[in-house]
Amino acid sequence: MKTLPRWLALLTGVMSVTLPALGAGFDRAAIYEKATNLIRAVAYLKPAEVVSNRVETQLAPLVLQQVREGANLEPLRFGTLQPGNVVDVSRPAIYFRLDSAAISGRVHPQITYCWFYPPTKAAPRRLRVQGVRITLDAHGQPAIWEMLTDASGARLMFVSRALEIQARSEYGPPQANRRFSVERAAAREVVVPRIVEDGPVPMGPMVYLAAESADPLTLACRCMPAQASSILSQQTYVLLDLTGAPALEQTQPDLHPGLAFRPGAPEPARGLEEILRLPRSF
């Protein structure tokens, strides 16, 4: 098997190392609040029409990028990776990787989606990254949506209504200073900003992102009411396998500082069951 470039291995293993102890450096209440706020205007990106029953197509996200007034109505754009830290925004692309996780003795499929924004003039060698990792439950339904980065340092994990109901039934009401039963108070870096309603069939989430930073605003099921007042533009993106991304070993791109991992951390990862109160039926 071909070895992945170091940066790619770090990215695809973004949640495979121990996170630093966080919790005091961000406003938990503000994260809860913005998850339900209405957004004035967005640019809308959806996957190109592909007839497929493959999981990466079924669960591909819809991206709604906030556009602020006075910004010439130009949204922050992501694109296709090119060698040399170049991002071609004329061809929007989201990359995916299929994985699995062992949770309490049961193997759960996971799929990670990530997308790349061009470096800024202030940091010309820094690729900006956003994405979401989806974990399926024992019935093959999407149940946990974990954002790959947030500049606050919080680890944002949205969960399904079914999972929250099961967690409350097994563990009781939320713990101190937490809004949902699935949240574990000992995992100070983790925030579950909101509950995602269960769709009639497995489908990709709606991911709302902040205008300048691409930090997560909220995540929702397509079956939930829209949280944007208006859509200013609409575009499609191509879905690409992350393992086929250009070889960038020579440039070693400096990934977004909000990415929730510490390169080279020697400690083993904490599993999802250690940072969330997952029911035995999960």
Side-chain angles (χ1 to χ4, degrees):
M1 181 180 294
K2 184 178 178 181
T3 301
L4 292 175
R6 178 177 177 274
W7 75 270
L8 186 55
L10 286 172
L11 179 61
T12 57
V14 63
M15 301 304 172
S16 297
V17 295
T18 300
L19 294 171
L22 298 173
F26 58 83
D27 186 339
R28 184 176 296 272
I31 293 174
Y32 290 134
E33 181 180 359
K34 74 177 180 179
T36 56
N37 285 345
L38 186 65
I39 303 162
R40 187 177 180 86
V42 296
Y44 172 55
L45 291 101
K46 64 178 183 178
E49 293 296 332
V50 176
V51 179
S52 172
N53 59 358
R54 295 175 64 88
V55 65
E56 64 267 22
T57 301
Q58 292 176 332
L59 299 184
L62 306 179
V63 178
L64 296 101
Q65 187 82 51
Q66 181 187 33
V67 180
R68 293 194 186 280
E69 293 183 40
N72 297 320
L73 302 183
E74 276 296 319
L76 192 61
R77 298 186 184 278
F78 59 83
T80 306
L81 281 174
Q82 304 291 333
N85 274 16
V86 174
V87 178
D88 180 4
V89 297
S90 69
R91 186 173 181 245
I94 286 183
Y95 294 82
F96 73 91
R97 178 177 171 85
L98 300 175
D99 286 296
S100 62
I103 301 173
S104 300
R106 183 184 288 126
V107 175
H108 289 263
Q110 292 182 317
I111 181 166
T112 300
Y113 297 96
C114 62
W115 48 97
F116 297 83
Y117 299 88
T120 63
K121 291 182 179 179
R125 288 182 54 80
R126 185 185 300 279
L127 279 182
R128 293 179 292 167
V129 175
Q130 189 50 273
V132 59
R133 186 179 72 171
I134 303 172
T135 301
L136 308 187
D137 65 15
H139 304 289
Q141 299 295 316
I144 302 171
W145 296 262
E146 184 172 5
M147 297 305 300
L148 294 191
T149 175
D150 186 75
S152 71
R155 187 170 175 178
L156 306 184
M157 309 184 78
F158 299 81
V159 306
S160 69
R161 173 71 63 187
L163 177 54
E164 171 63 10
I165 290 173
Q166 293 165 7
R168 182 176 286 265
S169 175
E170 188 163 323
Y171 299 111
Q175 295 184 306
N177 300 316
R178 300 299 185 269
R179 184 163 294 184
F180 304 107
S181 293
V182 74
E183 294 180 277
R184 188 179 295 278
R188 294 185 298 150
E189 75 278 9
V190 174
V191 183
V192 175
R194 77 177 316 172
I195 299 305
V196 178
E197 299 299 336
D198 299 295
V201 296
M203 61 183 75
M206 301 179 72
V207 181
Y208 294 82
L209 302 174
E212 293 85 7
S213 64
D215 279 341
L217 295 173
T218 192
L219 183 145
C221 174
R222 301 183 196 188
C223 62
M224 297 168 68
Q227 281 182 239
S229 298
S230 62
I231 296 176
L232 299 182
S233 64
Q234 184 169 304
Q235 199 172 5
T236 61
Y237 67 80
V238 295
L239 196 60
L240 301 174
D241 192 327
L242 184 58
T243 58
L248 300 179
E249 297 94 332
Q250 301 303 314
T251 54
Q252 290 291 318
D254 186 10
L255 297 175
H256 192 286
L259 273 173
F261 71 92
R262 291 190 294 126
E267 302 88 356
R270 285 193 294 169
L272 288 174
E273 71 274 21
E274 296 181 77
I275 60 174
L276 293 173
R277 296 203 294 174
L278 297 179
R280 288 186 294 271
S281 59
F282 185 76

